[in-house]
Amino acid sequence: MSRDHVQSAGRPAPTAGVPISAVVPSDGAAEMPFLELLARGAPAEAYEQPVLLARAEARSADRIAALEHAKLLALRVRAELEGRRRREAELSALFETAHDLAGLRDLDAVLQAIVQRARSLLGTDVAYLSLNDPAHGDTYMRVTEGSVAARFQQLRLGMGEGLGGLVAQTARPYVTDDYFKDARFQHTLTIDTAVRDEGLVAILGVPLMLGPHVIGVLYAADRRARVFEREQIALLGSFAALASAAIDTANLLTETRSALAGLERANAIIRDRSAVIERASDVHDRLAELVLRGGGVHDVAAAVSEVLDGTVEFTETGTAPPEALETSRAEGHAVRHGDDWIAAVAAGGELLGALVLGGHPGLDPVDQLTLERAAMVTSLLLLARRSAAEAEQRVRGELLDDLLEGRDRDPRLLRDRASRLHADLDAVHVVLAARIDGSTTDAEQEAAARRRLWSAASHLAATRHGLAAARDGGTVLLLPLAPGDTATELARRTARQLGTSVHEAVTVGASAPLADLLRHADTLPAAYAEGRRCLDALRLLGRRGDGAAVEEFGFLGLLLAGERDVTGFVDRTIGPVVAYDERRGTELLRTLDAYFACGMSPARTKDELHVHVNTVAQRLERIGRLLGDDWQAPARALEIQLALRLHWLAIPPRH
């Protein structure tokens, strides 16, 4: 039913034509009982009592007429007073709602208060508010007051369904005296079931508007048939307008808070970026100053440590984590390794070391770039130092060449030249011959590899207070031997360090330790030849990329010099026994070795092997069948022993 059909109730119609006072005169006494009723706020039915009492007392017709006239006036005044009180209550509720809206803190609380006041002022059983959900394409119950059915409180309505759908489509209030008999809107089983559960009959719905758009519906409903007056429809519309304003205000507040939060985050990022950029600028200025005043690698590390608020150290290639170092060199960026960051210090294809930022797992990208730039500056400093040191390296090489060729025999001059290079020729030294074992056949690539090897060896010699020179297609080094160290250990360590620096396998042969070089300088050429023989022996044995000293090979180093087919010799001599052990898992080679070591005595051999003498006899018989009946003849025995020795030497020791 539209608002045009809503009837007002409770107001007596005025007397048509002339005023009542002109019809029935009044002496004033008739109004007194009704004034008392008005003052007392008595109900409407109480106003019949004075008239009934006068009739019961058989008063005159004029008296009864005067009372009737006074009654009509009193009822009119009463209706006017009630209307004013009602409008006052409505205005007060609207004012309180507006006050709530002005101090909006909790949208749900404001909407709940609106629904509660609408229900109270309209005197309905239930009031509720639904809002559109654009994401789901339907509407849902946001607030209910007086509802007792869970299904109704959780109801979701499709767009255009039910009374609310009609309100939303027309953007106008709609009222129904009997919901289930009203065919103006679309009924659905879901909605009808929920309304029936709640027991609603008469429903009034008004739209919630934001501009031209309907965002929801405010309802007032009774569980009995009822006619809603125009004033009630207007009042509910006023509450709906306030609810719309509350929702709009809440949305604006949410957007404003979100925008403020976004601005705060952006401001924090800007402040952080500004601080980081300032730190980067600071470290750039410091590094530039270091370069200009000739600072060193450790000065760079100290400056970066202060800027990054951490500990930055320069480490050489041998001490940095190899996988992280190689990844950083290949990618050109600092990489994380555990709680540390590794930035490779490289020049071209050569690794010079690394900058390690320790205990700093969370590194800002700009700080990471700062560490990478510091590594670049470090490489430039090292290259500059290398350029300055190359002259010194040439001097070192010339000194070592003179020592090897015996051109300067004056101990005083040799000591003076060595001291200027921070080398102590009075210490115990080892001569090491190093060579790259690459597979390239390109002459330019091979020459470049030799230059890298000489550069790395010169750097190693300078850091170890030794000498280095390019010689015979490889590099020769004269390095001091630390107390407790051996020539073999020094050779292996040098092979690893040089191989890491040039990224290729480097084989190193070492001489026996040399003491008192200044008085016995003539021993150096022989020591160099010794180191080269060890180098050739390692390469012949297939131990490329390894290091060894003459002490490891003994007299076999002399036999291995030159181009000999060691593998073929071993196969021809003891190959059947080696193959038998590999195929059967036996220990014939070990028995054969122990047999020769025990002077070819089966009795001593069984003690050495901790087996029965019959086991030794059976094994020797098997060896005889594999090698031939003359295998114990002196000439064959010598060849077999040599082949055994070569076979064991070809197996790299475990270390």
Side-chain angles (χ1 to χ4, degrees):
M1 179 180 294
S2 68
R3 289 182 295 181
D4 295 337
H5 295 88
V6 177
Q7 297 292 328
S8 297
R11 293 188 182 180
T15 304
V18 296
I20 296 177
S21 60
V23 177
V24 180
S26 175
D27 57 3
E31 288 86 353
M32 291 303 296
F34 299 105
L35 290 175
E36 292 177 0
L37 292 172
L38 286 171
R40 216 169 50 231
E45 56 269 17
Y47 286 78
E48 294 292 338
Q49 293 299 322
V51 178
L52 294 175
L53 182 60
R55 286 175 178 167
E57 293 177 351
R59 296 292 182 94
S60 65
D62 290 341
R63 177 64 178 174
I64 293 173
L67 289 172
E68 287 285 356
H69 171 63
K71 181 189 74 172
L72 294 176
L73 289 175
L75 288 173
R76 185 184 299 174
V77 171
R78 181 181 181 277
E80 186 66 28
L81 290 174
E82 286 184 351
R84 291 185 179 185
R85 281 196 295 270
R86 185 174 62 253
R87 285 193 294 274
E88 182 181 351
E90 292 171 356
L91 290 173
S92 177
L94 291 173
F95 176 78
E96 291 176 0
T97 303
H99 183 270
D100 292 343
L101 180 57
L104 178 64
R105 292 295 181 269
D106 184 353
L107 177 61
D108 288 333
V110 173
L111 295 180
Q112 187 70 44
I114 289 173
V115 172
Q116 287 175 349
R117 288 165 185 157
R119 179 192 177 207
S120 175
L121 290 175
L122 270 67
T124 58
D125 296 322
V126 181
Y128 52 99
L129 185 148
S130 66
L131 292 179
N132 294 349
D133 187 349
H136 292 84
D138 61 4
T139 64
Y140 65 97
M141 290 292 186
R142 178 66 180 266
V143 180
T144 62
E145 179 68 21
S147 172
V148 295
R151 191 199 306 268
F152 183 81
Q153 296 168 10
Q154 300 169 6
L155 182 64
R156 296 189 76 96
L157 297 77
M159 293 295 187
E161 297 177 353
L163 177 66
L166 186 61
V167 174
Q169 286 178 346
T170 61
R172 294 175 55 193
Y174 270 86
V175 62
T176 178
D177 298 336
D178 192 332
Y179 176 85
F180 293 101
K181 294 180 180 179
D182 199 329
R184 291 177 300 167
F185 46 82
Q186 180 184 351
H187 287 265
T188 67
L189 178 61
T190 302
I191 300 174
D192 288 355
T193 302
V195 172
R196 187 173 287 108
D197 286 352
E198 193 63 52
L200 301 181
V201 178
I203 303 176
L204 166 63
V206 295
L208 274 65
M209 305 291 295
L210 275 183
H213 304 290
V214 178
I215 63 170
V217 179
L218 178 61
Y219 302 87
D222 258 341
R223 296 189 175 94
R224 63 185 183 280
R226 169 178 177 167
V227 175
F228 289 94
E229 299 178 2
R230 289 188 180 89
E231 291 83 357
Q232 294 172 325
I233 297 173
L235 176 62
L236 193 62
S238 298
F239 279 119
L242 290 174
S244 298
I247 293 170
D248 189 32
T249 303
N251 291 338
L252 290 175
L253 283 174
T254 301
E255 292 175 2
T256 302
R257 289 167 181 161
S258 178
L260 286 174
L263 289 174
E264 288 178 358
R265 289 193 298 270
N267 191 36
I269 292 173
I270 290 172
R271 287 198 304 269
D272 184 60
R273 294 297 93 193
S274 298
V276 170
I277 292 172
E278 187 175 340
R279 290 201 308 273
S281 176
D282 182 32
V283 76
H284 179 271
D285 294 342
R286 293 192 184 192
L287 294 178
E289 181 185 356
L290 284 174
V291 172
L292 291 175
R293 66 180 175 83
V297 171
H298 296 290
D299 295 326
V300 173
V304 178
S305 296
E306 185 175 347
V307 172
L308 298 184
D309 193 23
T311 302
V312 178
E313 295 181 350
F314 174 77
T315 61
E316 297 184 3
T317 54
T319 57
E323 293 183 4
L325 183 61
E326 180 58 30
T327 302
S328 176
R329 184 193 68 82
E331 296 180 357
H333 297 291
V335 298
R336 182 174 172 180
H337 179 73
D339 289 340
D340 302 335
W341 283 84
I342 310 295
V345 177
E350 181 184 357
L351 272 173
L352 305 177
L355 286 183
V356 180
L357 173 61
H360 211 305
L363 191 62
D364 185 276
V366 178
D367 288 342
Q368 181 180 341
L369 182 60
T370 297
L371 182 63
E372 294 165 1
R373 287 179 177 174
M376 184 184 301
V377 171
T378 302
S379 66
L380 292 175
L381 287 176
L382 290 175
L383 286 177
R385 180 188 296 176
R386 175 177 293 181
S387 298
E390 282 182 354
E392 178 184 336
Q393 292 170 0
R394 283 192 293 271
V395 173
R396 290 178 185 275
E398 291 171 359
L399 175 57
L400 184 53
D401 284 337
D402 291 345
L403 288 171
L404 290 173
E405 296 175 5
R407 285 196 290 260
D408 190 350
R409 300 296 186 182
D410 188 340
R412 185 180 59 81
L413 292 177
L414 290 174
R415 182 180 287 107
D416 183 58
R417 291 174 64 187
S419 64
R420 288 200 296 269
L421 299 173
H422 306 288
D424 182 12
L425 296 182
D426 292 324
V428 177
H429 284 73
V430 173
V431 178
L432 302 105
R435 184 184 293 272
I436 290 179
D437 285 310
S439 58
T440 180
T441 58
D442 185 271
E444 292 185 2
Q445 292 182 1
E446 184 177 357
R450 290 177 179 177
R451 286 193 297 272
R452 291 200 306 274
L453 177 61
W454 175 77
S455 177
S458 298
H459 177 70
L460 180 63
T463 57
R464 295 290 184 269
H465 304 292
L467 303 174
R471 199 174 186 85
D472 299 325
T475 301
V476 57
L477 299 92
L478 180 66
L479 298 180
L481 186 66
D485 203 358
T486 66
T488 296
E489 292 173 351
L490 178 61
R492 288 173 181 157
R493 191 163 57 248
T494 303
R496 288 196 302 271
Q497 292 172 340
L498 294 178
T500 302
S501 296
V502 301
H503 307 295
E504 292 191 56
V506 176
T507 307
V508 177
S511 69
L514 301 174
D516 203 2
L517 284 176
L518 293 177
R519 285 196 300 170
H520 304 288
D522 55 343
T523 60
L524 274 174
Y528 173 56
E530 231 176 42
R532 288 199 63 190
R533 281 196 297 273
C534 287
L535 173 62
D536 292 340
L538 287 171
R539 300 177 72 188
L540 287 170
L541 292 170
R543 289 170 58 182
R544 298 175 184 270
D546 199 1
V550 67
E551 62 193 15
E552 182 177 347
F553 290 102
F555 76 94
L556 290 176
L558 298 174
L559 299 178
L560 292 170
E563 299 292 331
R564 292 182 173 84
D565 185 11
V566 174
T567 303
F569 172 76
V570 172
D571 287 341
R572 288 191 301 272
T573 307
I574 59 172
V577 180
V578 174
Y580 189 92
D581 273 354
E582 291 176 349
R583 188 170 61 252
R584 302 290 185 89
T586 54
E587 294 186 336
L588 296 184
L589 279 177
R590 182 164 170 261
T591 302
L592 189 59
D593 198 21
Y595 180 66
F596 284 120
C598 294
M600 302 176 70
S601 167
R604 290 203 300 272
T605 301
K606 63 98 175 175
D607 294 334
E608 176 70 18
L609 297 177
H610 304 289
V611 296
H612 196 272
V613 69
N614 290 340
T615 302
V616 174
Q618 291 171 2
R619 291 179 180 177
L620 294 176
E621 181 181 359
R622 173 63 65 182
I623 291 171
R625 287 201 295 270
L626 292 171
L627 299 181
D629 294 334
D630 63 339
W631 70 276
Q632 297 190 65
R636 286 291 309 279
L638 179 60
E639 290 180 356
I640 292 171
Q641 291 181 66
L642 179 58
L644 281 171
R645 182 65 172 152
L646 292 174
H647 174 75
W648 297 126
L649 287 174
I651 301 175
R654 297 178 181 178
H655 48 265

